[in-house]
Amino acid sequence: MKKSVNFWIIIFSILLFSVRWFNSFSNFYETIDSKIIFESVSDGYYYFSQLKALANFNLNYSFDPNVVNLGTITVPTGAFLLHFILYLIIGSWSFIISEFFFIFLFLIIFYKIFRLLSFNRIQSIALSLVLFTIPDFLQLLSLEQLNYFSVVYSELFSLRFPRPLVSNIYFFSFFLFLIKLSRKKIFVKKNFIILGLISGLSFTSFIHIFIVEQISLLFFFIYKYKLQVIKVIKENIDCIISYILSFIIISAPFLINTFFNETDLLERFGLANLDYDQRIFLFKYHLTKLLKPEFFGVFISSVLLIIFLNSKNLFNNTKKLDIFYIIFYSSIITPFVFILISTKYFSHFYHFNNIIVICAFLLLFFSISVILNMYMKKIFSEKFTNFIFIFLVVVSLTTNVIQTQKNYFKNHLNDKSILERKEFNKVINIIQETDLLKKNKDLSLLTFDNKFLIWFILNNVEF
């Protein structure tokens, strides 16, 4: 049966991947570099130049012969890891192939989470597909622009490189591993090596997620061991050392890169010193967001949900939901901890709020799923319940196909987009047919078009 499940997860991954790329390959005949730029979700293609620099092992190149001796650009090495390895082997195709891999990882991670929450195999696959297609459902219902829904739509999971395509997979892996950890012996070296790897990859891809993970881990230990937590940690210091070592090994390239970084570029990205006035401002900003009626309602709902589960004597059966509560409440506390201890911050502080919304959504989604599943087991036969979830699979896949087609026609097959893409590819074809890049090694380029800029960087134009 396990082999059968893996087969279906692979099949569904192929279907979702094919739906994503079918229109591009059937409508546009172009170089692979052009294709990945135009098909990039949102502004993800901006990061292609950083990956190219990493693949060239040259992170301090200015693209200007008169500008030398720069510091390095700060590259999210964890977020680039798979793409970097594949890029060295298959070049720009790596961006397409990696998408399939991350779609598969998303489905397999959430399948395993649902299995740990006592759902059967059919239900677990179905609900994983529902989660993947949540953005499509929101669009279908015209909810994607509404407050909070817009965050779930764009930040829960999408194919934007590298975030949330890669970074959120690490975050969801943390969810999965913490749930697994809650049901077995915790202080085993292997567990802490894996935690160190996940933390290292998160730290080097999206620091906001990393901080949430560490505070969640701390509260998880307090939850498990209560007042004995310090004593237990002291008794298992070898596990803590294993965690630190595995974290350092994964983070080392990023830390070395950051040590030699170009400070002007970090300022350009929004890095600033965090003084007293800014701390007060950020504290008030975050508190204001949390006290908004919409979020306060979600917070109260989560508390009432715990009370409901206890009052119905269901809590013992849903013990593994504790992890979702721990991560959700940790995500609320995280920005305040960050404000207190950090000396610097990035101007896009709102990412902390987005993570809170994602954690709140996952908490409610899993809680409601578990409660409904319990009642369905009591009311319906297993055969009928499975039929409902098979129907959910069909609905999810159909919704994805329909919405992907609508989005593609709207964003890529309108007259303006087609004309821009044809003109772009016409220029590229002229360059390739005349062997312009090979004949002119010192060719320099002036352009205000970001897509051309990235294409030329990918094709080794130096200046």
Side-chain angles (χ1 to χ4, degrees):
M1 185 65 182
K2 188 176 180 180
K3 289 183 179 179
S4 175
V5 168
N6 292 335
F7 170 78
W8 281 110
I9 292 176
I10 291 171
I11 291 296
F12 292 140
S13 301
I14 291 171
L15 284 172
L16 294 168
F17 174 77
S18 300
V19 169
R20 150 82 165 137
W21 286 101
F22 172 77
N23 280 309
S24 175
F25 281 97
S26 60
N27 285 285
F28 298 102
Y29 302 95
E30 57 200 349
T31 67
I32 189 62
D33 293 327
S34 298
K35 192 172 291 296
I36 61 171
I37 289 170
F38 276 94
E39 297 299 331
S40 172
V41 176
S42 184
D43 59 351
Y45 68 92
Y46 286 178
Y47 288 90
F48 293 176
S49 59
Q50 291 186 28
L51 183 67
K52 178 68 175 179
L54 185 63
N56 288 340
F57 300 99
N58 189 356
L59 296 177
N60 66 343
Y61 190 68
S62 70
F63 294 97
D64 186 328
N66 299 312
V67 179
V68 294
N69 299 322
L70 292 175
T72 61
I73 59 173
T74 303
V75 173
T77 52
F80 283 6
L81 182 59
L82 177 66
H83 289 79
F84 168 70
I85 294 170
L86 288 178
Y87 191 86
L88 293 177
I89 302 170
I90 57 176
S92 294
W93 280 96
S94 59
F95 293 100
I96 297 178
I97 302 303
S98 296
E99 282 192 11
F100 169 77
F101 181 73
F102 284 106
I103 291 170
F104 173 76
L105 274 181
F106 180 95
L107 294 181
I108 202 75
I109 286 170
F110 280 105
Y111 169 79
K112 289 181 178 295
I113 290 175
F114 281 112
R115 289 291 289 148
L116 289 171
L117 295 176
S118 302
F119 288 82
N120 69 29
R121 288 181 170 86
I122 294 173
Q123 294 167 349
S124 299
I125 292 176
L127 289 170
S128 301
L129 281 168
V130 169
L131 262 181
F132 184 89
T133 51
I134 282 292
D136 299 314
F137 284 117
L138 291 175
Q139 269 197 299
L140 201 64
L141 298 170
S142 300
L143 297 173
E144 78 279 9
Q145 298 298 325
L146 296 180
N147 199 14
Y148 297 135
F149 285 112
S150 63
V151 176
V152 175
Y153 169 74
S154 60
E155 299 285 335
L156 175 64
F157 186 73
S158 77
L159 300 179
R160 179 187 179 272
F161 170 78
R163 184 185 61 80
L165 174 67
V166 182
S167 58
N168 281 25
I169 288 295
Y170 297 148
F171 194 35
F172 301 148
S173 300
F174 178 78
F175 273 83
L176 173 61
F177 193 72
L178 217 57
I179 294 170
K180 281 188 172 182
L181 214 56
S182 66
R183 64 198 300 244
K184 61 183 180 182
K185 187 179 179 181
I186 295 174
F187 281 93
V188 176
K189 280 187 179 180
K190 178 184 174 183
N191 294 336
F192 281 80
I193 290 171
I194 294 172
L195 275 173
L197 294 176
I198 294 172
S199 296
L201 290 170
S202 298
F203 173 68
T204 57
S205 62
F206 191 39
I207 194 168
H208 298 74
I209 281 176
F210 165 76
I211 299 171
V212 173
E213 289 175 355
Q214 303 318 296
I215 292 177
S216 299
L217 202 55
L218 176 62
F219 279 103
F220 172 72
F221 290 142
I222 294 172
Y223 166 76
K224 293 293 286 186
Y225 298 107
K226 308 296 187 297
L227 297 176
Q228 299 295 312
V229 62
I230 296 176
K231 179 185 175 184
V232 171
I233 290 174
K234 284 182 178 178
E235 290 173 351
N236 294 278
I237 195 68
D238 56 329
C239 290
I240 305 301
I241 292 171
S242 298
Y243 169 81
I244 294 171
L245 288 176
S246 60
F247 172 80
I248 290 174
I249 289 169
I250 290 295
S251 304
F254 177 79
L255 293 171
I256 294 169
N257 175 207
T258 303
F259 182 78
F260 294 103
N261 66 51
E262 181 57 52
T263 54
D264 288 347
L265 186 62
L266 287 179
E267 288 180 12
R268 158 69 181 83
F269 287 156
L271 185 69
N273 291 323
L274 191 55
D275 60 26
Y276 176 78
D277 291 335
Q278 288 166 324
R279 289 180 201 277
I280 297 299
F281 175 83
L282 290 176
F283 190 92
K284 289 179 178 177
Y285 163 79
H286 187 60
L287 196 60
T288 301
K289 291 289 183 180
L290 294 180
L291 293 176
K292 289 181 74 172
E294 302 97 317
F295 180 79
F296 196 68
V298 173
F299 181 81
I300 294 299
S301 297
S302 71
V303 175
L304 292 175
L305 203 53
I306 293 177
I307 296 171
F308 169 77
L309 292 172
N310 276 303
S311 65
K312 295 291 183 180
N313 295 318
L314 295 173
F315 198 62
N316 288 332
N317 296 325
T318 57
K319 203 71 175 171
K320 298 183 200 74
L321 281 175
D322 295 355
I323 299 304
F324 292 92
Y325 284 96
I326 289 170
I327 296 175
F328 171 55
Y329 295 135
S330 296
S331 70
I332 296 173
I333 297 168
T334 296
F336 295 112
V337 175
F338 179 84
I339 292 166
L340 288 173
I341 66 174
S342 180
T343 59
K344 296 181 182 292
Y345 79 107
F346 278 98
S347 56
H348 29 273
F349 195 78
Y350 64 88
H351 283 313
F352 278 123
N353 296 325
N354 290 351
I355 293 170
I356 294 170
V357 173
I358 295 303
C359 292
F361 172 78
L362 289 173
L363 169 63
L364 293 175
F365 185 89
F366 277 93
S367 298
I368 292 169
S369 298
V370 167
I371 293 169
L372 287 176
N373 188 43
M374 285 180 178
Y375 283 111
M376 286 177 73
K377 283 180 178 178
K378 293 180 180 179
I379 299 170
F380 304 117
S381 66
E382 184 178 1
K383 188 175 180 180
F384 183 75
T385 302
N386 286 341
F387 172 79
I388 292 173
F389 281 94
I390 291 171
F391 178 71
L392 262 182
V393 169
V394 175
V395 170
S396 298
L397 292 174
T398 304
T399 302
N400 178 260
V401 171
I402 292 172
Q403 202 56 54
T404 302
Q405 289 290 105
K406 283 176 65 177
N407 290 341
Y408 201 87
F409 275 86
K410 178 184 176 182
N411 299 323
H412 294 279
L413 295 181
N414 60 71
D415 291 340
K416 183 181 178 181
S417 297
I418 290 175
L419 180 61
E420 178 195 0
R421 197 155 172 173
K422 281 185 176 179
E423 288 182 346
F424 183 96
N425 287 316
K426 187 175 182 180
V427 174
I428 299 306
N429 289 336
I430 291 171
I431 291 169
Q432 291 186 323
E433 287 169 4
T434 57
D435 252 355
L436 191 61
L437 298 183
K438 290 182 180 179
K439 291 177 182 177
N440 299 274
K441 295 294 184 182
D442 296 326
L443 182 75
S444 60
L445 169 75
L446 172 64
T447 178
F448 299 102
D449 185 302
N450 288 323
K451 290 185 173 68
F452 269 120
L453 186 68
I454 299 301
W455 189 92
F456 277 91
I457 290 173
L458 291 176
N459 285 271
N460 302 312
V461 172
E462 293 187 1
F463 306 124

